[in-house]
């Protein structure tokens, strides 16, 4: 069982960022739409929009390295997962409601901070790739003096 | 093929309304991705990032200088990628100071001074700027902002209008009122204030405000505290956008720090004077040479309300206001001949208001320990203005005296005015404003240059404790 602190990175409505790197050491970043785990963060599935993730997909195809940061946009509680990508596939239709629900919840939270929902509705989110990753390192990334400390 | 994107065309992205993200990579090839608190536009080929903690991003850059930043336009939510190469860390100089000022203001506001601070301004070469195609699936309906020629002309007319009125203002009180009215009329700055510096107390005191209701006047800010206090201490303009996001970020650090050793040293959070939900603020120091006169501040609920143009514009107005205030305060300090007091045109008319016919009794209590006066159990004023009022009321009650001169107040050691630059005029304005708000049936009206009179139609009871 993972603890309460770690569980926060799987709550709905998080801001999900992904970082990858190519074989020459050139990093890249983009946004993901949703994050899921069925085994207490031993592995995670990160959903990235097909429209904006070409570079991420190309990078993980060559290096298999991925970093995923999940942040609560209201209190900035943030967790970073790092590991090795085990597979990349097109997300299935039956995963679409989950991805959409995550995006909707994220839009709800953003609207409480002043960003109109209509703008978020225009953000590309489907179709999506599902990137499966074996989690090897977990870090607390909440801003402050303890940012970067290892949680697992 | 589309034209290259100029970095300077992404001004909105640098305001921090939507936080940017950065990816770096360590020596073993593991990426790291995180939010950035500030991406600072340096020039067409360089940006700077704020380094506040020696975090993973910073350590990665020592191992691999390449980075990728994703920026967002807060109006269209289009995304842009900047490919960066780390060049150097600056720990002093103009760039560092400009970035540090902003962070220090947020830190001070959240009681994080000393914990949440800039360690270095990390400077990067921008190797490419690209639109992230497909990020937005439909064009956002955006009212594009911009300094159109019409807008520029309006603002220039505003400058001309303000200048004329500033120079014609008969007294300090009118001047401050004119300035805030002009900012609202020409630029729709509906929440603004002017604070004057009291060097003896090391504090700024709000002497005029617009948009906050009566409670704004008299509010004090210590030098170096909060956005206004830092602007005053550093004598530098500060424009903050997306304040709410910054404050949440600061509070997140505060929560984390409280859990560690840093928590022992934290100050109480200082509430911003003014709007509780302000999203953007611009504060301009009013100074003559190196001498601080005060601060002009405006705020708004719109996170992108103030642009660079406003900053430059307010700085021009600020310089002019500072000079005129200084001239007025110096003039007020000049000794005047008691028999030849001259009332400037419009002076008395502006000061005298009809007294409300209350017929009631007012009870003033002076608390010696707190150096404060309460009227009918409600706080009125404290420190030097309180002592001035107590002297006036006491002499009126003892001998029926109602006419006074600034000079006699200055010479009375019991009032504790500093020997030079005593700001007597501004203290009197504050006293008048507070009386207007809390006790309108008692007025201190200007009766000529360097003179004032007590006007009231109410019975007064004085108690000293």
């Amino acid at each position: 069982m993972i603890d309460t602190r770690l569980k926060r990175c799987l709550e709905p409505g998080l801001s999900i960022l992904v970082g990858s790197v190519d074989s020459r050491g050139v990093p890249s970043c983009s946004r993901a739409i949703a994050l899921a785990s069925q085994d207490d963060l031993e592995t995670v599935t990160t959903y990235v929009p097909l429209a904006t993730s070409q570079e991420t997909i190309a990078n993980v195809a060559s290096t298999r390295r991925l970093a995923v940061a999940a942040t609560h946009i209201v209190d900035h509680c943030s967790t970073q997962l790092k590991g090795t990508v085990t597979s990349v596939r097109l997300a299935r239709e039956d995963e679409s409601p989950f991805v959409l629900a995550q995006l909707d919840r994220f839009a709800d939270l953003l609207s409480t901070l002043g960003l109109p929902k209509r703008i978020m509705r225009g953000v590309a989110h489907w179709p999506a790739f599902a990137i499966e990753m074996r989690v090897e390192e977990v870090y607390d990334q909440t801003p402050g003096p303890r940012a970067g400390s290892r949680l697992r | 093929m589309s034209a290259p994107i100029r970095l300077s065309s992404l001004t909105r992205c640098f305001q921090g309304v939507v936080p940017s993200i950065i990816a770096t990579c360590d020596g073993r090839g593991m990426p790291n991705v995180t939010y950035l608190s500030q991406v600072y536009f340096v020039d067409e080929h360089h940006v700077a990032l704020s380094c506040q903690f020696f975090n993973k991003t910073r350590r990665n850059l020592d191992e691999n200088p390449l980075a990728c930043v994703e920026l967002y336009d807060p109006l269209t939510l289009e995304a842009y990628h900047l490919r960066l190469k780390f060049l150097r860390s600056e720990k002093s100089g103009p760039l560092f100071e400009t970035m540090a000022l902003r962070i220090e203001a947020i830190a001070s506001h959240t009681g994080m001074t000393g914990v949440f601070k800039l360690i270095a301004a990390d400077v990067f070469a921008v190797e490419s700027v690209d639109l992230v195609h497909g990020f937005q699936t439909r064009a956002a309906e955006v009212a594009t902002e911009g300094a159109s020629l019409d807008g520029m002309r309006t603002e220039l007319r505003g400058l001309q209008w303000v200048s004329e009125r500033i120079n014609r203002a008969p007294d300090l009180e009118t001047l401050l009122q004119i300035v805030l009215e002009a900012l609202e009329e020409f630029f729709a700055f509906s929440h603004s204030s002017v604070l004057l510096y009291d060097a003896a107390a090391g504090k700024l005191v709000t002497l005029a405000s617009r948009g906050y209701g009566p409670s704004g006047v008299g509010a004090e800010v210590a030098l170096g505290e909060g956005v206004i206090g830092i602007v005053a201490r550093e004598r530098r303009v500060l424009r903050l956008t997306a304040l709410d996001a910054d404050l949440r970020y600061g509070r997140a650090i505060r929560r984390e720090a409280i859990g560690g050793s840093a928590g022992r040293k934290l100050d109480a959070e200082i509430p911003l004077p003014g709007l509780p939900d302000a999203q953007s603020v611009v504060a301009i120091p009013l100074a003559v040479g190196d001498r601080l006169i005060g601060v002009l501040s405006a705020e708004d609920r719109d996170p992108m309300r103030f642009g660079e143009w406003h900053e430059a514009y307010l700085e021009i107005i600020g310089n002019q206001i500072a000079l005129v205030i200084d001239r007025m305060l110096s003039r007020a300090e000049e000794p005047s001949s008691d028999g030849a007091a001259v009332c400037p045109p419009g002076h008395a008319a502006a000061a005298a208001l009809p007294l409300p016919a209350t017929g009631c009794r007012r009870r003033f209590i002076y608390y010696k320990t707190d150096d404060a006066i309460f009227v009918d159990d409600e706080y009125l004023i404290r420190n030097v203005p309180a002592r001035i009022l107590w002297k006036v009321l006491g002499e009126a009650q003892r001998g029926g005296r109602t006419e006074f001169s600034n000079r006699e107040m200055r010479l009375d050691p019991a009032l504790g005015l500093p020997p030079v630059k005593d700001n007597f005029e501004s203290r009197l304005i504050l006293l008048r404003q507070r009386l207007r708000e809390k006790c309108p049936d008692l007025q201190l009206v200007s009766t000529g240059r360097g003179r004032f009179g007590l006007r009231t139609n109410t019975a007064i009871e004085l108690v000293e404790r």
Side-chain angles (χ1 to χ4, degrees), chain B residues 19 25 38 58 67 73 140 157 175 197 217 220 245 270 303 327 334 340-341 362 390 422-423 437 457 459 461:
Chain B
C25 177
Q38 190 182 8
R58 191 62 200 74
D73 184 313
R157 276 201 300 274
L175 168 75
Y197 181 52
V217 170
E220 294 180 350
I270 306 157
R327 195 181 67 212
E334 288 166 12
R362 293 281 194 180
W390 202 244
D422 60 19
N423 282 356
E437 288 172 13
N457 58 3
E461 181 190 352

Side-chain angles (χ1 to χ4, degrees), chain B residues 12 15 17 74-75 145 241-242 279-280 302-307:
Chain B
R12 289 198 299 246
Q15 298 213 9
V17 177
L75 292 186
E145 176 212 41
T241 52
Q279 294 283 307
S280 55
D302 178 347
M304 296 179 64
R305 181 67 184 81
F306 307 114

Side-chain angles (χ1 to χ4, degrees), chain B residues 201-241:
Chain B
K203 282 181 178 173
L204 294 128
V205 181
T206 310
L207 275 199
S209 71
R210 200 166 170 85
Y212 299 124
S215 61
V217 170
E220 294 180 350
V221 177
L223 206 62
E225 284 183 349
V227 175
I228 288 169
I230 285 175
V231 164
R233 192 192 65 202
E234 299 295 321
R235 320 280 203 269
R236 294 183 63 164
V237 179
L238 188 62
R239 177 170 55 96
L240 299 176
T241 52

Side-chain angles (χ1 to χ4, degrees), chain A residues 15 17 19 21 25 27-29 31 55 65 67 73-75 80 82 119 121-124 137 141 143 146, chain B residues 21 23 28-35 64 68 70 72 77 81 83 134-138 248-249 253 255-256:
Chain A
S15 171
L17 315 176
V21 60
S28 177
C29 52
R31 284 190 167 273
E55 191 174 353
R65 301 288 204 182
I73 57 172
V74 176
D75 64 8
Q80 181 147 193
K82 295 185 180 185
I119 292 185
R121 281 195 205 109
V123 170
E137 302 162 26
Q141 207 178 325
R146 285 197 297 269
Chain B
I21 61 178
R28 63 192 172 110
M30 180 60 87
N32 188 81
V33 64
T34 187
Y35 277 112
N64 175 351
C68 175
E70 191 164 286
Y72 307 94
L77 215 65
H81 267 176
R83 304 288 174 181
F135 188 83
Q136 272 285 347
T137 55
R138 54 183 143 168
R248 275 186 288 108
Y249 184 82
I253 295 173
R255 269 194 308 275
E256 291 296 299

Side-chain angles (χ1 to χ4, degrees), chain B residues 68-113:
Chain B
C68 175
V69 164
E70 191 164 286
L71 298 169
Y72 307 94
D73 184 313
L75 292 186
T76 64
L77 215 65
E78 290 285 8
Y80 298 88
H81 267 176
L82 308 185
R83 304 288 174 181
L84 307 180
K85 184 171 187 180
F86 175 64
L87 295 178
R88 62 184 180 276
S89 280
E90 293 188 7
K91 294 183 178 173
S92 61
L95 173 67
F96 176 84
E97 283 165 20
T98 302
M99 292 175 72
L101 188 65
R102 184 179 191 278
I103 287 169
E104 193 186 351
I106 300 294
S108 172
H109 186 65
T110 49
M112 290 292 299
T113 303

